[in-house]
Amino acid sequence: MAVSKNEEKIAEQHKNQWFGFIKSIATFRGDLASITAPPFLLSPQSMVEFSAYWAEHPSIFIAPAKESEPEKRALLVLRWFLSTLKQQHNSKDESGKRKKMKPLNPFLGELFLGKWEDDAGITNLVTEQVSHHPPATAFNLWNEEHGIRLRGHVAPNVYFSGTVHIDRKGYSILHIDKYNEDYLINMPKIHVEGLMTGSLAPELSGSSYIRSSSGYTAKIDYTSKGWLGGKRNGFIANLFHDSDKKKSLYTLEGQWSDSWTCKNNGALNSTERFDTNALPRTPLQVAPLSEQHPLESRRAWQYVSQAIHKGDVFAVSYEKSKIENEQRAMRAREKREEAEFSRRYFSKANEDITADKLATEIPGTSLKAEMCGNEGIWLWDEDKYKTIQAERLGSHGVKSPTRMRFDSGIGGILLDPTEA
């Protein structure tokens, strides 16, 4: 069988190590996220950066806030969601270069902060690793000018059953201020094809949902190439309204990594085609490394990333071990002192009323049970954010003398180089 263009072939010199790794994960019991992957598989990107894929097309992200009709808003939210899948799951980056398959495991408290600035205005991003064992990443994105915001958390569970599978518990809530409208979003499952041949290709499987407080539900079913035909990265999505839960208003179909069509089922000859390769992407702006907070991802992992880019597997292992050992020492100290690591931007909650209500409105699914795992519920804490911003500027627009370091990249606020 020919290797498709989306597959990542394991280099010949790494095959022995690769199959040794496969043997170890096939016999491992528990979450595979805790297993150390061979250095040649590691990406220079930490998992906390994946939340940036939600808004890499800011104009598409804010589009629902500009639409007055509820049905069209629900359709625009579905289109936006589908537009986020390619860069998040495809095996190639925007330049066509193959991605390394294994992102770096974030450490507890790791931050990723940035913003997009274009015709859509300023869209901000705050991501924080709120749990390490089990892993959980919380994120918040917002565009004040258009009154749209997305907050959520994701907790991946990685296991082996014939191949590597990733179940992503957690959820997101998209909120549109003008219409006081919420959308509950969950994520599809992932499995890796071509594991035994070394020709790796991630695929989405199962179904995911988008449920709106205005009565619309989108169901996305994911398909992959079978033995007898079909295409990789396939999906079929249908949009329904509560007034007739069996009548599809729109059908969207194609490949989330390439192109797809959108058909209005209530109109003749009303089909639009969307090419994901032609979607405009706005670069995410992050502060220079020297101006980042020590917990910010690219600053913390900079030497590991440099070693990965150089292909120096010994330096990768050495630099990565330094961070991991430091984290173990911090956890041991916290245990001795009976202290808990303080999250900077998010707080743990017992419930999320908005998410619970929307989840129960999708009958016949286990969505509510799948939303939360052992990591719990993590909500954006606006008070924490405002406190950090106030400490940065002080009450009169100057630095607070009691604050030694400040977070960068939010709304144009940067860390002073002298405080790095």
Side-chain angles (χ1 to χ4, degrees):
M1 180 182 295
V3 178
S4 82
K5 65 180 181 179
N6 285 329
E7 294 175 331
E8 180 179 355
K9 191 77 173 178
I10 299 299
E12 194 67 34
Q13 66 267 30
H14 296 314
K15 281 194 172 180
N16 287 338
Q17 193 176 6
W18 166 249
F19 287 115
F21 176 63
I22 293 301
K23 183 178 179 180
S24 67
I25 64 175
T27 56
F28 184 80
R29 296 294 177 265
D31 189 348
L32 293 180
S34 61
I35 289 185
T36 300
F40 69 85
L41 282 180
L42 291 177
S43 165
Q45 180 186 42
S46 169
M47 185 66 75
V48 297
E49 294 198 27
F50 277 52
S51 55
Y53 294 127
W54 287 115
E56 62 179 358
H57 312 293
S59 61
I60 301 177
F61 174 66
I62 61 98
K66 300 166 67 175
E67 174 55 56
S68 60
E69 297 183 25
E71 182 178 303
K72 291 183 179 179
R73 283 200 302 275
L75 178 61
L76 287 171
V77 170
L78 175 56
R79 289 179 179 177
W80 156 74
F81 173 78
L82 293 172
S83 76
T84 70
L85 298 178
K86 179 180 178 180
Q87 294 301 330
Q88 187 171 174
H89 301 103
N90 203 21
S91 59
K92 289 187 178 182
D93 61 22
E94 62 274 14
S95 65
K97 185 178 180 181
R98 294 195 183 281
K99 298 177 182 177
K100 295 294 186 69
M101 294 299 294
K102 177 63 175 68
L104 297 167
N105 287 334
F107 54 82
L108 180 60
E110 185 173 335
L111 303 171
F112 187 62
L113 314 172
K115 65 179 180 179
W116 298 266
E117 193 166 1
D118 58 10
D119 293 341
I122 297 176
T123 304
N124 294 291
L125 166 68
V126 175
T127 307
E128 181 174 5
Q129 189 71 12
V130 291
S131 178
H132 185 61
H133 290 302
T137 308
F139 52 87
N140 190 52
L141 301 91
W142 69 98
N143 184 303
E144 291 289 355
E145 180 179 345
H146 295 281
I148 190 167
R149 56 201 77 245
L150 177 78
R151 49 97 173 168
H153 68 279
V154 60
N157 176 38
V158 188
Y159 64 94
F160 186 88
S161 179
T163 187
V164 173
H165 295 261
I166 306 173
D167 289 351
R168 291 175 290 183
K169 295 185 182 296
Y171 59 90
S172 305
I173 296 288
L174 181 75
H175 180 80
I176 303 175
D177 293 347
K178 183 176 181 180
Y179 303 105
N180 192 27
E181 191 173 64
D182 293 300
Y183 293 81
L184 172 67
I185 305 162
N186 75 324
M187 294 298 292
K189 301 177 188 301
I190 304 174
H191 67 273
V192 179
E193 297 190 347
L195 199 67
M196 300 311 296
T197 63
S199 301
L200 308 180
E203 273 287 5
L204 303 183
S205 58
S207 301
S208 68
Y209 296 85
I210 303 174
R211 171 64 184 176
S212 80
S213 57
S214 56
Y216 292 89
T217 300
K219 181 186 179 185
I220 307 105
D221 296 306
Y222 302 91
T223 60
S224 57
K225 185 175 181 180
W227 290 103
L228 300 178
K231 294 183 178 181
R232 294 193 180 279
N233 310 148
F235 77 90
I236 300 176
N238 286 283
L239 182 65
F240 305 89
H241 187 261
D242 288 349
S243 59
D244 190 344
K245 296 181 180 180
K246 294 184 179 180
K247 178 184 177 182
S248 173
L249 302 173
Y250 294 88
T251 298
L252 293 76
E253 184 175 5
Q255 292 175 280
W256 48 261
S257 60
D258 191 8
S259 63
W260 40 275
T261 58
C262 175
K263 180 181 179 182
N264 182 344
N265 294 324
L268 293 175
N269 301 318
S270 180
T271 301
E272 296 179 80
R273 183 177 182 275
F274 294 84
D275 183 356
T276 61
N277 301 302
L279 294 176
R281 300 180 67 241
T282 299
L284 177 68
Q285 300 177 32
V286 298
L289 294 183
S290 61
E291 298 175 3
Q292 291 185 13
H293 187 283
L295 292 177
E296 287 192 62
S297 181
R298 292 185 183 179
R299 177 173 175 175
W301 292 105
Q302 60 181 307
Y303 300 115
V304 175
S305 296
Q306 290 172 12
I308 290 174
H309 283 301
K310 293 177 181 177
D312 188 339
V313 295
F314 298 105
V316 170
S317 297
Y318 174 74
E319 296 294 345
K320 189 167 173 285
S321 295
K322 284 170 60 177
I323 294 175
E324 292 168 345
N325 291 335
E326 183 181 77
Q327 287 293 306
R328 293 188 187 100
M330 291 174 64
R331 301 290 86 78
R333 185 179 65 214
E334 290 163 0
K335 185 176 182 179
R336 289 195 305 271
E337 298 176 356
E338 298 183 347
E340 182 178 359
F341 183 84
S342 178
R343 280 65 170 183
R344 294 181 67 79
Y345 292 106
F346 297 85
S347 294
K348 200 168 188 177
N350 294 322
E351 62 177 353
D352 184 341
I353 296 175
T354 300
D356 287 346
K357 182 177 185 300
L358 292 173
T360 57
E361 293 173 353
I362 311 178
T365 73
S366 57
L367 182 58
K368 187 172 181 179
E370 293 174 356
M371 289 196 312
C372 302
N374 295 329
E375 80 292 338
I377 298 172
W378 292 92
L379 301 180
W380 171 252
D381 195 320
E382 188 71 17
D383 289 338
K384 287 183 176 180
Y385 172 72
K386 289 180 178 178
T387 296
I388 290 174
Q389 298 299 72
E391 290 178 339
R392 170 63 178 92
L393 296 175
S395 60
H396 300 290
V398 297
K399 296 182 301 180
S400 166
T402 62
R403 189 72 184 171
M404 295 302 295
R405 293 187 176 95
F406 309 99
D407 296 346
S408 62
I410 304 300
I413 297 175
L414 298 178
L415 174 74
D416 281 348
T418 55
E419 294 173 337

